[in-house]
Amino acid sequence: MNQPKVHFRKACRLCGSTSLQRFLHLPEMPFTDDFITPEALGSEFRADIDVFICTSCLSAQTQHDVDVGDYYEDYQYSVGGSSTASRFMRILAENTVARFPASSASRKVLEVGSGDGEQLVAFKNTGCRVLGYEPSSVLCKVAEAKGIPTIQGLFTADSIHQLPDEFKEVDVVMLSYTFDHLPDPRAFTAAARAILNKDHGLLIVEIHNLEKIIERQEYCLFEHEHSIYLTEASVAQLCGLEGLTVIDFDLVPEADRRANSLIFVATPNESQLAAKAVKPSTPDAFNHLDHYSLIGANITSAIQNLDRFVDQMTANGKTLAGYGAGGRGVMTLAAMRSAPKLKYLVDKKPKRPGLVAPKSGVPLVSLDELASNPVDAILVFSFGYIDEIRREVSALGYQPDQFYSLLDVLAGRF
Ligand SMILES: [Zn+2]
């Protein structure tokens, strides 16, 4: 990948105010999946991640855009194949159809960032007509092979003019973990509104929930790829600015959602469904600027907890490994002073053996390494799966008390 360019902004992405306060500073952070050879360590992309709060509209956001060029064209990551993910997608599609009436039984669904097409398969199974929009050419082919028509490209406000005639007006515009990557979320929201059916159109969006990020101190979710960090309250505000009303924050029950998810459904203000308007449940603290300074301070101390843990565990020659080489592992390590003390980073499906994590330089290995080159303790980054990991790794001779959850360590419980 060519070195991406970073462009800086000077105004709020949502309201245009120039009064922004920085509340988090993570210096020299890499991309979440930019694993490199040991020789290339130091030449990978790194830039500060600064997160700001707009003092006018209280939305959290970065003020830099990273021009990733063809990065997404080659992007092949996909959640396909997980039964939890398939169940989630089925519930989302079925609840959409069951809860919200449409004028035609065969509603039209456009998904932006449709990946391997799995979510659209779920909509198609309920009788919807579907169209995907996806930048990765490989994923487009995967989706097409499943019978999901997909346009290859990065969706921008102009893209609505290139949609086939049948999809110039749609019943649903859906985005899953794509909306918080948009450099200009308002322009996108306006474009989505323009193609939504005015009587019952739905904008359905799944994003990371800032409230949960803060609650769990998951600073690893502050990534270059993300431009905005929303709460239910800031979602309602953003929708309001573009003439949309939020009518649901609970399309998929919490227990069936993927980690750290906020799902909202919005409809044009003039739609028949706007009467279903719901109120955000964001705690009042998020309406106060002081709250954000506290967040920054808490995250700094959570990172110190991690460093203290690693120092403590590796004192007296003990060895420690990380488990889970997804974005959580990479970004958590990248902000730690003590990361190079980890012997390696295990992943069930490592990208390629012989690589190291960006910035921290921790070697990426497969599961076998835990047997051939054992460690005294394992820090589990993919904490949502810790029970499953404990069970699997016990076959290699590890005891339950050798595992530590990232969440516990961040909170100083070790
Ligand atoms: Zn603002």
Side-chain angles (χ1 to χ4, degrees):
M1 174 163 72
N2 292 330
Q3 278 296 351
K5 291 187 189 68
V6 181
H7 307 280
F8 292 94
R9 294 173 171 252
K10 291 195 182 76
C12 172
R13 294 177 194 264
L14 300 192
C15 77
S17 162
T18 52
S19 174
L20 295 132
Q21 263 176 31
R22 187 175 80 177
F23 67 90
L24 182 67
H25 174 64
L26 299 171
E28 298 278 298
M29 295 292 277
F31 282 124
T32 54
D33 73 340
D34 196 12
F35 286 90
I36 39 170
T37 59
E39 300 74 45
L41 185 65
S43 67
E44 73 278 29
F45 173 81
R46 296 181 193 183
D48 294 351
I49 293 182
D50 289 315
V51 190
F52 298 80
I53 185 75
C54 169
T55 68
S56 298
C57 74
L58 294 172
S59 56
Q61 57 194 287
T62 61
Q63 283 286 293
H64 71 291
D65 295 324
V66 185
D67 179 2
V68 291
D70 292 338
Y71 179 66
Y72 288 109
E73 220 261 90
D74 294 328
Y75 198 59
Q76 295 184 26
Y77 173 79
S78 154
V79 292
S82 146
S83 60
T84 318
S86 308
R87 182 181 153 78
F88 168 87
M89 291 172 185
R90 182 175 52 76
I91 296 173
L92 188 144
E94 289 176 358
N95 284 357
T96 300
V97 173
R99 285 188 197 177
F100 306 107
S103 56
S104 153
S106 174
R107 46 188 107 200
K108 289 180 274 186
V109 180
L110 169 71
E111 184 178 12
V112 175
S114 49
D116 62 6
E118 276 300 310
Q119 180 65 67
L120 289 177
V121 168
F123 273 109
K124 199 178 168 190
N125 289 343
T126 66
C128 297
R129 281 173 285 169
V130 300
L131 177 66
Y133 218 103
E134 168 56 45
S136 156
S137 46
V138 176
L139 291 178
C140 283
K141 288 198 189 87
V142 176
E144 290 278 353
K146 293 174 187 167
I148 303 300
T150 307
I151 298 175
Q152 197 242 321
L154 206 54
F155 193 96
T156 65
D158 285 337
S159 307
I160 56 173
H161 306 296
Q162 281 125 44
L163 292 169
D165 284 348
E166 197 199 351
F167 281 85
K168 288 253 189 302
E169 183 188 277
V170 297
D171 302 289
V172 175
V173 173
M174 153 101 210
L175 296 88
S176 182
Y177 293 120
T178 299
F179 193 78
D180 38 9
H181 291 213
L182 300 167
D184 192 352
R186 269 194 75 178
F188 177 88
T189 308
R193 190 193 197 288
I195 56 169
L196 277 182
N197 178 295
K198 299 296 170 276
D199 289 328
H200 52 257
L202 303 172
L203 172 65
I204 303 179
V205 174
E206 182 182 28
I207 47 175
H208 291 292
N209 188 342
L210 180 65
E211 295 169 39
K212 287 186 196 157
I213 295 179
I214 301 312
E215 189 186 305
R216 301 173 178 170
Q217 314 271 34
E218 278 189 277
Y219 69 84
C220 51
L221 292 177
F222 293 106
E223 302 170 358
H224 292 295
E225 290 87 338
H226 290 155
S227 53
I228 45 170
Y229 300 92
L230 299 173
T231 61
E232 288 187 1
S234 46
V235 160
Q237 181 160 265
L238 165 58
C239 288
L241 289 170
E242 293 301 336
L244 294 163
T245 302
V246 180
I247 54 171
D248 196 313
F249 281 117
D250 195 29
L251 186 59
V252 178
E254 185 77 41
D256 292 307
R257 284 190 220 167
R258 294 168 276 197
N260 201 330
S261 146
L262 164 60
I263 305 174
F264 68 87
V265 182
T267 193
N269 288 345
E270 65 272 34
S271 135
Q272 298 168 15
L273 299 174
K276 290 174 176 275
V278 290
K279 290 225 171 343
S281 65
T282 307
D284 181 56
F286 284 85
N287 293 322
H288 301 281
L289 281 174
D290 299 352
H291 182 58
Y292 297 88
S293 340
L294 198 65
I295 288 169
N298 286 345
I299 288 174
T300 304
S301 81
I303 298 172
Q304 287 165 353
N305 285 341
L306 273 164
D307 282 326
R308 202 158 48 81
F309 168 79
V310 174
D311 289 342
Q312 215 167 292
M313 293 307 290
T314 56
N316 313 317
K318 289 205 170 162
T319 50
L320 175 69
Y323 193 110
R328 276 198 173 76
V330 169
M331 298 306 268
T332 300
L333 288 168
M336 290 162 60
R337 163 189 55 74
S338 62
K341 291 187 180 176
L342 269 73
K343 207 164 170 188
Y344 47 76
L345 178 61
V346 186
D347 202 74
K348 233 174 149 174
K349 284 189 280 182
K351 208 171 175 183
R352 184 152 64 81
L355 298 180
V356 299
K359 187 177 173 185
S360 65
V362 180
L364 176 67
V365 299
S366 61
L367 216 51
D368 321 333
E369 194 80 12
L370 283 172
S372 60
N373 189 9
V375 288
D376 298 307
I378 300 171
L379 173 59
V380 179
F381 295 117
S382 35
F383 57 84
Y385 302 90
I386 191 162
D387 293 333
E388 197 178 317
I389 292 166
R390 266 202 190 104
R391 269 198 304 278
E392 277 183 22
V393 179
S394 69
L396 305 175
Y398 286 84
Q399 300 303 316
D401 64 356
Q402 287 178 283
F403 297 82
Y404 294 84
S405 161
L406 171 65
L407 282 196
D408 288 337
V409 178
L410 283 169
R413 295 188 296 264
F414 56 86

